[in-house]
Amino acid sequence: DLHDELGADLHALGLLSDLAQAAQSAPERLGDLLQRVRVLTERTGKAARHCTNLLEAEDLHGDLVADMRRTSERILADLEHQLEFEGEARLRQLNPRRRVDLLLFYQESLINIIRHSGATRVHTRLSAIDGQISLAVADNGRGLSGGVPASLKRRARLLRGEICAGATDSSSGTCIMLRLERRWFGLLP
């Protein structure tokens, strides 16, 4: 959220700056543009503080399954989406930092689908069984060119996980698979 909010606000600030430069000969317009820059700057600061406070909250991401449901509903609002979970009791035992990291990986996967795939359907499966946690996110979009996106590789590295991507069973679309060994994943006692 912080990434998206700041990105949009910084882009808007750049546009307003361009308009202000063009309006130097019209002082009445310049004052309005500078006021809009000020309001946007204050809003961006509040958004950054809000996101930082959320990350520091003790009870944030207490239920990974519920958080993933909310995230998919928000990001994939216009797409058909199916979620499957296996081993929910074990998922609740993940330490809070790992829950956040896994949720951020999931969010980044969905954002990539929305921005680049042209998909109409997404299927997610999160499993915590047999000493392993795995997350598969599949879509029916255009497919990947160039392999796993760098942003997902970085997040997988932070999780100490293995990531791979390939075509879905229907041969159109992409499936991103993240595998984590439980011993590295910080289960609570």
Side-chain angles (χ1 to χ4, degrees):
D1 289 345
L2 180 61
H3 173 267
D4 293 344
E5 181 78 23
L6 285 178
D9 286 355
L10 289 173
H11 180 71
L13 286 169
L15 292 174
L16 287 171
S17 173
D18 291 345
L19 290 172
Q21 284 181 344
Q24 286 179 348
S25 61
E28 67 285 348
R29 178 129 167 80
L30 186 58
D32 177 55
L33 288 169
L34 291 174
Q35 179 59 33
R36 289 173 61 191
V37 167
R38 182 72 191 145
V39 168
L40 187 57
T41 302
E42 288 174 5
R43 187 180 81 195
T44 302
K46 286 178 184 177
R49 283 189 299 281
H50 175 72
C51 288
T52 301
N53 290 339
L54 281 176
L55 288 173
E56 293 173 350
E58 292 289 325
D59 59 347
L60 180 69
H61 304 300
D63 185 349
L64 180 60
V65 170
D67 289 339
M68 287 178 69
R69 287 186 197 285
R70 276 191 301 274
T71 296
S72 63
E73 288 170 9
R74 183 174 53 86
I75 295 173
L76 302 174
D78 297 332
L79 302 183
E80 180 183 325
H81 189 235
Q82 181 182 2
L83 282 166
E84 289 181 49
F85 299 97
E86 187 173 11
E88 288 184 47
R90 295 300 284 170
L91 291 170
R92 284 187 200 94
Q93 294 177 331
L94 297 174
N95 77 41
R97 183 70 238 166
R98 295 302 184 203
R99 284 193 296 258
V100 170
D101 289 341
L102 189 55
L103 182 65
L104 290 174
F105 179 93
Y106 180 59
Q107 243 179 300
E108 185 70 26
S109 297
L110 298 184
I111 288 169
N112 282 336
I113 289 169
I114 290 297
R115 287 184 178 158
H116 308 293
S117 77
T120 59
R121 285 189 316 275
V122 178
H123 180 260
T124 300
R125 181 169 175 24
L126 178 61
S127 172
I129 57 168
D130 298 331
Q132 188 177 67
I133 294 171
S134 62
L135 173 65
V137 183
D139 66 58
N140 68 339
R142 288 189 267 292
L144 273 179
S145 59
V148 177
S151 60
L152 291 178
K153 284 181 184 178
R154 183 179 55 80
R155 290 203 182 274
R157 209 172 32 255
L158 290 172
L159 285 162
R160 297 185 187 144
E162 295 177 16
I163 187 171
C164 62
T168 60
D169 293 338
S170 65
S171 76
S172 71
T174 301
C175 181
I176 298 287
M177 174 67 84
L178 175 69
R179 287 189 182 89
L180 307 161
E181 295 296 324
R182 231 184 244 156
R183 63 186 169 91
W184 291 109
F185 210 67
L187 290 170
L188 294 172

